[in-house]
Amino acid sequence: TLLKRKIKKMHNIKEIRNDVEAFKKALNKRFIEIDVDKILSLDENNREYIQQRELLEKEKKDISKSKDQSLFEKSKKITVEIDNISKLQTNVKNELETILSSIPNIPHPDVPTGKDENSNVEISKSGTIPNFTFKPKSHYELGENLNMLDFDLATKTTGSRFVFVKDKLALLERALSNFMLDTHVNTNGYEEISPPLIATDATMYGTGQLPKFDNDQFELKLDDSSDRKFLIPTAEVILTNIVKDQIIDKKKLPMRMVASTPCFRKEAGSYGKDTKGMIRQHQFYKVEMVSIVEIDKCLPELDRMTDCATKILDLLKLPYRKIVLCTGDMGFSAEKTFDIEVWLPSEDKYREISSCSSCGSFQARRMKARYKNEKKETVLVGTLNGSGLAVGRTLVAILENYQQEDGSILVPEALKPYMNNIEKIVKI
């Protein structure tokens, strides 16, 4: 396929070869089964075939230079041998790259080791959990009672896991996007970008969505069949690939970008989870931050990015907690991740509203995104991404935390300038 021809290894095979035990230990922390011996065997075969082909090519070249007619038949046989070895080498190389492309990023040493979310570690809690004198309603009850969320109509027009957001809640959704963008641009120093919402397979591969998570993507059926196209699952995909196939001037680093876009996900592995409401939808808005930095600046940038995300919640006066994900719960491309979880009164628990990750050089290797360091060496950049925030989930949190006993919703002070200075959202 076209993707195969564009493929770049997620992991450097030379680094694996040079320290096999360290690679095995890192994978063990991720709790995944990978046949490292098979990787090394394929790598050895690949190099042997390359060596054989080069020797035969040299022999053929020497015959050609000699102009000895008696060696003409031998030259023809060598050509056939070169062709056969090239085919074998291509097959081995493709098999090796397929295995390597399914292996997630190596966790940073300071990430806690654990198999699943039960081993995540809470870093801090912020804000005041509201103390209601009545039983708090869920966001979907509140929205439906206000006649401003319509899930049934969306099911009729489109299918499950979609919603019509109406009237003042539609205004609130738009207000949140604008408020988040203004804060990230004017206070946090990000450059606003309005990107394409469609990505090629190579672009999706660059950030780690393909090939492993093919089933979770919405693919478009276009007339041009030579190149697969997908609706973006997150603006991270398209923003990070801005530096693809480039050697960036070091003076331009760090690059900090932000975009508010619709996102599209099949949620293939979430059958039966969050079937009601807006927590897990096929289409949702998200304000996404992406940073491109010098490779040794990743972790300080991750702290900065996470602070930019929590600042939004602080300004909206929403209670939240910050956790560091363990090795077994991190995303595929991440080396370290902080999740921010907002308090939802109807569930009496915190739910994810942002995930901020450092990917180290993992995505950069795929994209061939590089810069020249002080020694004029060409090195891979570091990439980071984070939600700042998921707009739908922030709307959910406002509905639930700012609800009144009569079902109306108070408008957070920070959003009033974006909401025509209305104090309260009431039933229409």
Side-chain angles (χ1 to χ4, degrees):
T1 66
L2 189 72
L3 180 58
K4 272 280 176 211
R5 295 201 299 274
K6 290 180 180 176
I7 215 163
K8 318 260 188 339
K9 291 187 184 78
M10 275 192 184
H11 291 279
N12 187 331
I13 191 66
K14 286 180 188 172
E15 288 174 11
I16 296 171
R17 202 189 301 140
N18 290 343
D19 199 342
V20 177
E21 287 311 307
F23 185 67
K24 282 181 178 177
K25 276 182 188 172
L27 290 185
N28 287 340
K29 284 185 178 180
R30 278 282 204 167
F31 296 91
I32 54 164
E33 292 293 322
I34 298 288
D35 190 344
V36 178
D37 293 335
K38 186 174 183 182
I39 290 171
L40 295 171
S41 172
L42 286 166
D43 173 47
E44 196 177 335
N45 290 345
N46 185 48
R47 286 182 292 134
E48 279 175 7
Y49 284 135
I50 290 169
Q51 199 174 12
Q52 287 173 29
R53 188 181 65 207
E54 285 172 351
L55 287 170
L56 288 167
E57 282 169 346
K58 184 182 180 300
E59 191 178 350
K60 188 181 171 185
K61 200 174 181 182
D62 290 344
I63 289 170
S64 179
K65 276 183 185 173
S66 74
K67 295 180 181 170
D68 186 340
Q69 292 295 316
S70 66
L71 297 173
F72 182 67
E73 281 304 314
K74 188 177 181 182
S75 179
K76 277 171 74 178
K77 281 180 184 175
I78 290 171
T79 301
V80 172
E81 274 186 74
I82 290 170
D83 190 42
N84 289 337
I85 285 170
S86 293
K87 283 175 185 169
L88 289 168
Q89 189 259 326
T90 300
N91 289 339
V92 167
K93 181 169 169 265
N94 284 346
E95 190 180 351
L96 176 61
E97 288 178 337
T98 299
I99 293 170
L100 288 174
S101 72
S102 72
I103 301 173
N105 199 357
I106 299 303
H108 193 274
D110 68 2
V111 172
T113 301
K115 207 163 193 175
D116 54 32
E117 60 186 22
N118 296 315
S119 298
N120 295 339
V121 178
E122 185 180 291
I123 305 289
S124 61
K125 277 183 179 158
S126 297
T128 307
I129 289 172
N131 186 15
F132 294 107
T133 56
F134 56 92
K135 190 187 175 188
K137 290 186 172 71
S138 66
H139 71 278
Y140 48 86
E141 285 178 279
L142 291 160
E144 285 174 336
N145 290 342
L146 289 165
N147 294 323
M148 295 180 196
L149 289 183
D150 199 328
F151 298 95
D152 292 338
L153 181 58
T155 302
K156 283 179 195 170
T157 62
T158 313
S160 61
R161 294 194 191 269
F162 291 91
V163 64
F164 277 93
V165 184
K166 300 178 179 180
D167 200 77
K168 294 296 184 290
L169 288 193
L171 174 60
L172 176 60
E173 186 176 58
R174 178 159 54 93
L176 280 167
S177 276
N178 289 339
F179 165 67
M180 290 173 190
L181 283 172
D182 284 352
T183 305
H184 291 313
V185 172
N186 300 331
T187 306
N188 298 332
Y190 286 82
E191 177 191 4
E192 183 179 351
I193 292 179
S194 179
L197 302 180
I198 294 171
T200 64
D201 56 354
T203 298
M204 296 279 279
Y205 186 92
T207 43
Q209 275 70 27
L210 293 183
K212 193 169 176 64
F213 303 103
D214 203 323
N215 289 340
D216 212 23
Q217 314 308 328
F218 279 107
E219 185 171 357
L220 299 173
K221 297 210 178 298
L222 301 174
D223 292 337
D224 177 14
S225 60
S226 66
D227 205 0
R228 296 174 75 197
K229 298 271 202 309
F230 300 84
L231 291 171
I232 58 167
T234 164
E236 169 210 338
V237 171
I238 210 85
L239 293 180
T240 311
N241 272 277
I242 282 174
V243 295
K244 177 184 172 185
D245 294 323
Q246 285 186 49
I247 297 176
I248 301 144
D249 185 345
K250 184 172 164 287
K251 290 175 193 166
K252 290 184 178 176
L253 300 176
M255 292 170 65
R256 296 184 178 117
M257 301 165 276
V258 65
S260 177
T261 68
C263 304
F264 305 89
R265 294 181 192 174
K266 282 187 184 171
E267 295 289 354
S270 65
Y271 182 78
K273 288 184 193 170
D274 301 307
T275 50
K276 280 189 171 183
M278 292 178 70
I279 292 288
R280 202 179 296 274
Q281 298 225 291
H282 292 313
Q283 175 191 317
F284 56 94
Y285 287 96
K286 183 154 64 81
V287 172
E288 184 76 358
M289 303 173 287
V290 163
S291 294
I292 313 295
V293 299
E294 294 170 57
I295 193 61
D296 58 348
K297 305 280 174 68
C298 283
L299 292 194
E301 185 69 16
L302 178 60
D303 289 334
R304 182 191 188 277
M305 180 179 277
T306 309
D307 288 345
C308 290
T310 56
K311 184 180 185 66
I312 301 293
L313 292 170
D314 289 332
L315 290 167
L316 293 173
K317 294 184 166 58
L318 288 168
Y320 65 90
R321 69 172 188 157
K322 175 181 164 184
I323 60 174
V324 61
L325 298 192
C326 69
T327 52
D329 198 35
M330 285 196 306
F332 186 77
S333 299
E335 64 169 1
K336 184 177 182 181
T337 299
F338 290 117
D339 267 12
I340 303 157
E341 298 181 340
V342 71
W343 179 257
L344 293 188
S346 74
E347 297 186 26
D348 200 35
K349 66 179 179 184
Y350 292 97
R351 294 296 301 266
E352 182 196 333
I353 196 166
S354 171
S355 198
C356 298
S357 298
S358 167
C359 300
S361 61
F362 187 76
Q363 293 175 328
R365 180 172 286 115
R366 307 293 297 284
M367 298 185 299
K368 282 182 78 178
R370 297 148 293 163
Y371 71 101
K372 287 197 184 292
N373 64 14
E374 290 84 356
K375 298 174 186 172
K376 302 295 178 193
E377 299 163 327
T378 304
V379 291
L380 295 165
V381 298
T383 66
L384 301 97
N385 62 81
S387 321
L389 305 159
V391 176
R393 291 192 178 194
T394 311
L395 187 144
V396 165
I398 288 170
L399 283 175
E400 296 206 6
N401 285 280
Y402 279 87
Q403 64 178 293
Q404 303 300 293
E405 195 166 4
D406 64 359
S408 63
I409 313 295
L410 293 181
V411 175
E413 207 61 44
L415 292 179
K416 284 179 182 173
Y418 297 86
M419 299 271 302
N420 303 319
N421 289 309
I422 63 170
E423 298 282 328
K424 194 188 280 191
I425 297 171
V426 296
K427 188 171 184 174
I428 50 172

